[in-house]
Amino acid sequence: AQKVTQAQTEISVVEKEDVTLDCVYETRDTTYYLFWYKQPPSGELVFLIRRNSFDEQNEISGRYSWNFQKSTSSFNFTITASQVVDSAVYFCALSEKSSNDYKLSFGAGTTVTVRA
Amino acid sequence: DTEVTQTPKHLVMGMTNKKSLKCEQHMGHRAMYWYKQKAKKPPELMFVYSYEKLSINESVPSRFSPECPNSSLLNLHLHALQPEDSALYLCASSQVRGGDYGYTFGSGTRLTVV
């Protein structure tokens, strides 16, 4: 069963537009961790944010902001005033206990294209 | 040192070859992971090692054989691969309770099986 669902497969915007990426997760654990990663065309996974299940405080980092709502199992990501350098695939991920250890499972990803 | 280093960056191998992928970290992390990522897909977990012991194997075919010789090094031995095994192979490391302190990923090995 899909643990992390990213509703948008692709989003295309013009520079300076805002972009919101949706992420819905599913878990039975009370302790879990949520992440967002950016993967540019070069392939490396760039860590953006980590949030644990007990911390519902929203966060802003420069042009990036995150909205965590446990009641709806969502962890959405907004890029404000997008730039061409924001073009990448963005993955939402869930880390939860599984048998002997923790597993990090990724959503399908959202490809963001920012046009000049 | 806050990096996970993977070598080689690119690898082309025939279906009868034996090769190995290497992953190294010096952050004192005691959990290490192998992920496989096909084009336009998310990374998929293959193996988890905690304290140098295999703790999770996601039903990976035996032609992929992981090895963790010490706490800093993780290898993935490849033998008799198929063209469909061509992918980006990512290594990651973390504190044992992965979510507490996050995961650090290497830049990957792009594998092509011919």
Side-chain angles (χ1 to χ4, degrees):
Chain A
Q2 183 72 26
K3 296 275 192 175
V4 181
T5 302
Q6 294 181 247
Q8 306 108 326
T9 304
E10 294 184 24
I11 298 176
S12 182
V13 297
V14 177
E15 223 173 4
K16 297 185 184 174
E17 286 185 15
D18 296 348
V19 180
T20 295
L21 310 181
D22 298 330
C23 173
V24 173
Y25 62 92
E26 179 186 332
T27 180
R28 294 180 182 175
D29 287 353
T30 54
T31 301
Y32 54 89
Y33 306 87
L34 296 163
F35 299 80
W36 275 96
Y37 285 90
K38 173 182 179 180
Q39 189 173 43
S42 52
E44 77 273 23
L45 278 168
V46 178
F47 166 79
L48 297 178
I49 190 171
R50 177 184 75 251
R51 181 61 84 229
N52 73 49
S53 52
F54 301 108
D55 181 4
E56 288 193 70
Q57 190 173 12
N58 291 329
E59 182 158 336
I60 297 174
S61 176
R63 295 183 298 105
Y64 294 168
S65 62
W66 292 269
N67 183 303
F68 177 28
Q69 293 197 341
K70 267 177 92 167
S71 60
T72 56
S73 296
S74 66
F75 187 41
N76 297 335
F77 171 34
T78 297
I79 303 172
T80 302
S82 60
Q83 300 176 0
V84 172
V85 293
D86 296 326
S87 297
V89 182
Y90 290 85
F91 292 102
C92 181
L94 167 70
S95 178
E96 58 178 345
K97 194 82 187 297
S98 174
S99 59
N100 300 323
D101 216 319
Y102 275 81
K103 290 171 59 170
L104 182 67
S105 302
F106 289 83
T110 299
T111 300
V112 173
T113 303
V114 182
R115 295 167 280 131
Chain B
D1 188 352
T2 58
E3 285 187 346
V4 173
T5 303
Q6 289 188 245
T7 55
K9 293 199 181 309
H10 300 274
L11 178 63
V12 179
M13 62 184 289
M15 289 189 283
T16 58
N17 291 160
K18 285 185 182 180
K19 296 286 185 184
S20 297
L21 309 185
K22 181 180 171 182
C23 173
E24 201 162 3
Q25 57 88 16
H26 297 286
M27 295 176 280
H29 290 174
R30 300 310 298 271
M32 296 185 77
Y33 312 80
W34 280 114
Y35 281 83
K36 174 182 178 179
Q37 187 177 21
K38 300 280 282 183
K40 299 190 183 300
K41 295 290 186 185
E44 291 182 352
L45 182 65
M46 300 174 73
F47 303 104
V48 178
Y49 271 84
S50 286
Y51 291 98
E52 297 92 69
K53 288 186 170 29
L54 182 66
S55 60
I56 294 178
N57 176 342
E58 292 287 86
S59 302
V60 178
S62 59
R63 57 185 184 269
F64 296 91
S65 175
E67 178 197 19
C68 191
N70 59 58
S71 60
S72 299
L73 190 57
L74 184 66
N75 298 320
L76 186 63
H77 302 299
L78 314 172
H79 174 53
L81 294 194
Q82 303 297 310
E84 59 264 29
D85 296 321
S86 298
L88 178 67
Y89 288 84
L90 292 162
C91 174
S93 71
S94 71
Q95 300 287 350
V96 176
R97 287 178 62 86
D100 281 350
Y101 302 102
Y103 299 79
T104 303
F105 281 84
S107 56
T109 294
R110 219 167 270 281
L111 174 68
T112 303
V113 181
V114 298

